Amino acid sequence: PDSKVLRGGTNGWTCMSANPQGKKAWADPKAGWASAREAAPVCFDAAGLDWMKGWMARKKPLMKRDAFVWMLQGDLGFDNTDPFVTSKGEADPDQWIESGPHLMMFPKDPASTDAFTSDFTAGEPYTMFPGTDFAHLMIPASGYYGEETTLSPEELLDLLMSPPYIYILAALVLLLASGALAGGRGGSKAGTQLA
Protein backbone atom coordinates (compact mmCIF):
# COMPACT_ATOMS: atom_id res chain seq x y z
CA PRO A 1 0.00 0.00 0.00
CA ASP A 2 1.00 3.58 -0.59
CA SER A 3 2.08 5.48 2.51
CA LYS A 4 2.28 9.21 2.98
CA VAL A 5 4.71 10.52 5.58
CA LEU A 6 2.79 12.80 7.95
CA ARG A 7 5.79 13.69 10.09
CA GLY A 8 9.34 12.60 9.40
CA GLY A 9 11.60 11.37 12.17
CA THR A 10 15.19 10.42 12.80
CA ASN A 11 15.14 7.64 15.42
CA GLY A 12 14.33 4.67 13.17
CA TRP A 13 10.82 4.08 14.60
CA THR A 14 7.65 4.27 12.52
CA CYS A 15 3.97 4.46 13.49
CA MET A 16 1.14 3.80 11.07
CA SER A 17 -2.46 2.66 10.95
CA ALA A 18 -2.83 -1.10 11.05
CA ASN A 19 -6.53 -1.11 10.19
CA PRO A 20 -6.53 -3.85 7.51
CA GLN A 21 -9.70 -2.53 5.86
CA GLY A 22 -8.06 0.82 5.22
CA LYS A 23 -9.20 4.33 5.89
CA LYS A 24 -11.92 4.44 3.24
CA ALA A 25 -13.79 1.55 4.82
CA TRP A 26 -13.95 3.11 8.28
CA ALA A 27 -13.34 6.82 8.29
CA ASP A 28 -14.95 9.93 6.91
CA PRO A 29 -12.42 10.83 4.19
CA LYS A 30 -12.55 14.51 5.21
CA ALA A 31 -12.59 14.09 9.00
CA GLY A 32 -10.34 11.04 9.26
CA TRP A 33 -10.62 8.20 11.76
CA ALA A 34 -13.47 8.39 14.27
CA SER A 35 -11.15 7.22 17.07
CA ALA A 36 -7.61 6.09 17.75
CA ARG A 37 -8.95 2.55 18.21
CA GLU A 38 -10.43 2.65 14.70
CA ALA A 39 -7.07 3.65 13.21
CA ALA A 40 -5.39 0.79 15.13
CA PRO A 41 -1.99 2.51 15.35
CA VAL A 42 1.07 0.27 15.44
CA CYS A 43 4.65 1.41 16.19
CA PHE A 44 7.86 -0.46 15.28
CA ASP A 45 11.53 -0.09 14.47
CA ALA A 46 13.29 -1.14 11.24
CA ALA A 47 13.11 -4.87 12.05
CA GLY A 48 9.40 -4.50 12.78
CA LEU A 49 8.99 -2.69 9.47
CA ASP A 50 10.57 -5.69 7.72
CA TRP A 51 7.89 -7.91 9.30
CA MET A 52 5.09 -5.46 8.39
CA LYS A 53 6.30 -5.27 4.77
CA GLY A 54 6.23 -9.06 4.53
CA TRP A 55 2.74 -9.25 6.04
CA MET A 56 1.37 -6.50 3.76
CA ALA A 57 2.87 -8.27 0.70
CA ARG A 58 1.72 -11.69 1.99
CA LYS A 59 5.32 -12.91 1.79
CA LYS A 60 7.59 -14.36 4.45
CA PRO A 61 9.15 -11.49 6.43
CA LEU A 62 12.91 -11.21 5.91
CA MET A 63 14.21 -10.03 9.27
CA LYS A 64 17.72 -9.50 10.61
CA ARG A 65 16.59 -9.74 14.27
CA ASP A 66 13.55 -9.88 16.53
CA ALA A 67 11.48 -6.73 16.92
CA PHE A 68 9.30 -5.34 19.70
CA VAL A 69 6.14 -3.63 18.48
CA TRP A 70 3.24 -2.02 20.28
CA MET A 71 -0.43 -1.30 19.69
CA LEU A 72 -1.58 0.65 22.73
CA GLN A 73 -5.04 1.24 21.25
CA GLY A 74 -5.52 -2.42 20.28
CA ASP A 75 -6.82 -3.64 16.94
CA LEU A 76 -10.15 -4.32 15.23
CA GLY A 77 -9.85 -8.09 15.15
CA PHE A 78 -8.12 -11.01 13.49
CA ASP A 79 -8.53 -14.75 13.23
CA ASN A 80 -5.79 -15.91 15.60
CA THR A 81 -4.78 -18.75 13.26
CA ASP A 82 -4.83 -17.01 9.86
CA PRO A 83 -2.84 -13.80 9.25
CA PHE A 84 -5.04 -12.75 6.36
CA VAL A 85 -8.53 -13.21 7.82
CA THR A 86 -9.51 -9.76 9.07
CA SER A 87 -13.29 -10.13 8.89
CA LYS A 88 -15.28 -11.66 11.75
CA GLY A 89 -17.62 -13.22 9.18
CA GLU A 90 -14.77 -15.15 7.52
CA ALA A 91 -13.04 -16.15 10.76
CA ASP A 92 -13.35 -19.32 12.79
CA PRO A 93 -15.69 -18.07 15.56
CA ASP A 94 -13.50 -19.73 18.21
CA GLN A 95 -10.38 -17.95 16.89
CA TRP A 96 -11.67 -14.38 16.47
CA ILE A 97 -9.93 -11.93 18.82
CA GLU A 98 -10.37 -8.16 19.01
CA SER A 99 -7.28 -7.20 20.94
CA GLY A 100 -7.02 -4.37 23.43
CA PRO A 101 -3.69 -2.67 24.23
CA HIS A 102 -0.72 -4.97 23.72
CA LEU A 103 2.95 -5.37 22.95
CA MET A 104 4.19 -7.83 20.35
CA MET A 105 7.45 -9.56 19.65
CA PHE A 106 7.96 -10.25 15.94
CA PRO A 107 10.59 -13.00 15.86
CA LYS A 108 13.21 -13.49 13.19
CA ASP A 109 12.45 -17.21 13.61
CA PRO A 110 8.68 -17.78 13.93
CA ALA A 111 9.33 -21.24 15.45
CA SER A 112 10.69 -19.47 18.54
CA THR A 113 7.07 -18.87 19.57
CA ASP A 114 6.20 -22.59 19.52
CA ALA A 115 6.70 -22.94 23.30
CA PHE A 116 3.89 -20.45 23.99
CA THR A 117 0.19 -21.25 24.01
CA SER A 118 -2.01 -20.02 21.18
CA ASP A 119 -4.93 -19.66 23.63
CA PHE A 120 -5.66 -15.94 23.64
CA THR A 121 -8.16 -16.30 26.49
CA ALA A 122 -5.57 -17.45 29.06
CA GLY A 123 -4.53 -13.91 30.09
CA GLU A 124 -0.85 -14.48 29.34
CA PRO A 125 1.45 -13.98 26.36
CA TYR A 126 0.36 -16.17 23.47
CA THR A 127 1.28 -16.95 19.87
CA MET A 128 -0.79 -15.34 17.15
CA PHE A 129 -0.79 -17.00 13.71
CA PRO A 130 0.96 -20.16 15.04
CA GLY A 131 2.66 -22.41 12.51
CA THR A 132 2.87 -19.66 9.87
CA ASP A 133 5.66 -17.38 8.68
CA PHE A 134 3.82 -14.62 10.57
CA ALA A 135 3.73 -16.27 14.02
CA HIS A 136 4.48 -13.71 16.72
CA LEU A 137 4.10 -13.29 20.45
CA MET A 138 1.19 -11.21 21.73
CA ILE A 139 1.71 -9.68 25.18
CA PRO A 140 -1.61 -8.39 26.59
CA ALA A 141 -1.63 -5.11 28.52
CA SER A 142 -4.16 -3.64 30.94
CA GLY A 143 -7.59 -3.42 29.31
CA TYR A 144 -6.76 -6.11 26.72
CA TYR A 145 -10.01 -8.04 27.17
CA GLY A 146 -12.32 -5.18 28.13
CA GLU A 147 -13.77 -2.07 26.63
CA GLU A 148 -11.08 0.11 28.25
CA THR A 149 -8.58 0.73 25.46
CA THR A 150 -7.00 4.04 26.35
CA LEU A 151 -4.40 4.08 29.12
CA SER A 152 -3.83 7.19 31.21
CA PRO A 153 -0.19 8.21 31.65
CA GLU A 154 -0.31 6.83 35.22
CA GLU A 155 -1.77 3.49 34.05
CA LEU A 156 0.81 3.22 31.29
CA LEU A 157 3.64 3.87 33.75
CA ASP A 158 2.22 1.27 36.17
CA LEU A 159 1.96 -1.22 33.32
CA LEU A 160 5.47 -0.60 32.05
CA MET A 161 6.95 -0.97 35.54
CA SER A 162 5.37 -4.41 36.10
CA PRO A 163 6.62 -7.82 34.85
CA PRO A 164 7.05 -8.76 32.03
CA TYR A 165 7.12 -5.23 30.64
CA ILE A 166 9.85 -3.93 32.94
CA TYR A 167 12.11 -6.71 31.64
CA ILE A 168 11.31 -5.79 28.05
CA LEU A 169 12.02 -2.12 28.79
CA ALA A 170 15.30 -3.02 30.48
CA ALA A 171 16.33 -5.05 27.42
CA LEU A 172 15.41 -2.16 25.11
CA VAL A 173 17.40 0.29 27.25
CA LEU A 174 20.44 -2.00 27.06
CA LEU A 175 20.04 -2.34 23.29
CA LEU A 176 19.68 1.42 22.87
CA ALA A 177 22.71 2.08 25.08
CA SER A 178 24.78 -0.35 23.05
CA GLY A 179 23.72 1.31 19.80
CA ALA A 180 22.19 -1.96 18.57
CA LEU A 181 18.87 -0.25 17.80
CA ALA A 182 18.48 2.63 15.36
CA GLY A 183 18.96 5.91 17.14
CA GLY A 184 21.70 4.58 19.44
CA ARG A 185 22.86 7.18 21.96
CA GLY A 186 21.49 10.04 19.91
CA GLY A 187 18.90 11.00 22.51
CA SER A 188 15.19 11.42 22.09
CA LYS A 189 14.32 11.89 18.44
CA ALA A 190 10.94 11.72 16.81
CA GLY A 191 9.94 8.65 14.83
CA THR A 192 8.28 8.63 11.43
CA GLN A 193 4.50 8.71 11.25
CA LEU A 194 2.77 7.30 8.16
CA ALA A 195 -0.78 7.89 7.00
Side-chain angles (χ1 to χ4, degrees):
D2 294 331
S3 296
K4 175 179 149 190
V5 175
L6 298 177
R7 182 176 52 202
T10 58
N11 72 355
W13 286 80
T14 301
C15 295
M16 63 181 272
S17 170
N19 181 325
Q21 284 83 29
K23 195 178 227 181
K24 292 182 178 138
W26 291 86
D28 176 336
K30 292 179 184 171
W33 300 106
S35 68
R37 169 79 182 217
E38 190 177 272
V42 59
C43 297
F44 43 80
D45 65 1
L49 180 59
D50 290 340
W51 190 96
M52 294 294 292
K53 285 179 179 177
W55 178 69
M56 290 186 289
R58 295 182 175 228
K59 295 180 179 177
K60 181 179 180 174
L62 301 174
M63 300 176 65
K64 296 178 184 89
R65 62 170 170 76
D66 296 348
F68 284 100
V69 179
W70 64 86
M71 293 184 78
L72 296 182
Q73 298 296 326
D75 61 45
L76 299 171
F78 286 90
D79 183 310
N80 195 57
T81 60
D82 188 325
F84 304 111
V85 173
T86 59
S87 161
K88 192 172 186 176
E90 296 173 32
D92 176 335
D94 294 331
Q95 294 299 323
W96 183 253
I97 174 69
E98 293 178 19
S99 304
H102 59 280
L103 299 174
M104 294 176 280
M105 191 276 292
F106 291 168
K108 178 180 176 183
D109 177 11
S112 67
T113 64
D114 289 351
F116 291 88
T117 183
S118 62
D119 180 359
F120 53 82
T121 66
E124 63 187 60
Y126 67 92
T127 301
M128 181 173 248
F129 312 142
T132 73
D133 291 333
F134 305 95
H136 62 279
L137 191 63
M138 296 284 286
I139 307 168
S142 175
Y144 187 80
Y145 297 103
E147 293 302 313
E148 172 208 344
T149 58
T150 302
L151 300 175
S152 71
E154 294 81 17
E155 291 169 322
L156 179 59
L157 183 60
D158 286 345
L159 169 70
L160 293 175
M161 299 313 271
S162 66
Y165 309 105
I166 190 68
Y167 306 121
I168 294 168
L169 283 174
L172 287 172
V173 167
L174 290 173
L175 288 169
L176 285 169
S178 72
L181 294 179
R185 296 178 189 252
S188 178
K189 298 177 184 173
T192 297
Q193 186 176 1
L194 302 178

